Amino acid sequence: RDRNTLFWIGYLASLLEEQGKLVEATPLYTEALEGYMLLWGMDDEDTRYVAERLVSILRKAGQREEAEALADNFGLADK
């Protein structure tokens, strides 16, 4: 995994999200987030951006508990 690969995984997830394909986007955002966290940690700008996107689609998909747990981990409860 490298930053470019993770970027494109996140980009594909965002395209799917824009099409309303939340179920398909979720595992891609999750994969990108895990990669960014492993390589650059939770405070990295890209890591935080992907975390925000994943929290957002989890909320849209009605997965509130998972979304709020992730939001709490990243200090995104108000976003």
Side-chain angles (χ1 to χ4, degrees), residues 6-22 24-30 32 49-50 53-54 57 60:
L6 296 171
F7 168 83
W8 287 109
I9 292 170
Y11 183 75
L12 177 57
S14 71
L15 291 175
L16 291 167
E17 179 184 2
E18 286 177 19
Q19 295 173 3
K21 298 178 179 180
L22 304 181
E24 293 87 348
T26 300
L28 293 173
Y29 275 133
T30 301
Y49 174 78
V50 173
R53 298 305 325 134
L54 183 54
I57 67 167
K60 288 178 191 174

Side-chain angles (χ1 to χ4, degrees), residues 36-37 40-45 47-48 70 72-75:
Y36 282 126
M37 285 182 9
W40 293 286
M42 290 178 69
D43 294 326
D44 178 73
E45 181 180 325
T47 304
R48 294 189 61 78
L70 184 60
D72 287 346
N73 279 347
F74 282 90

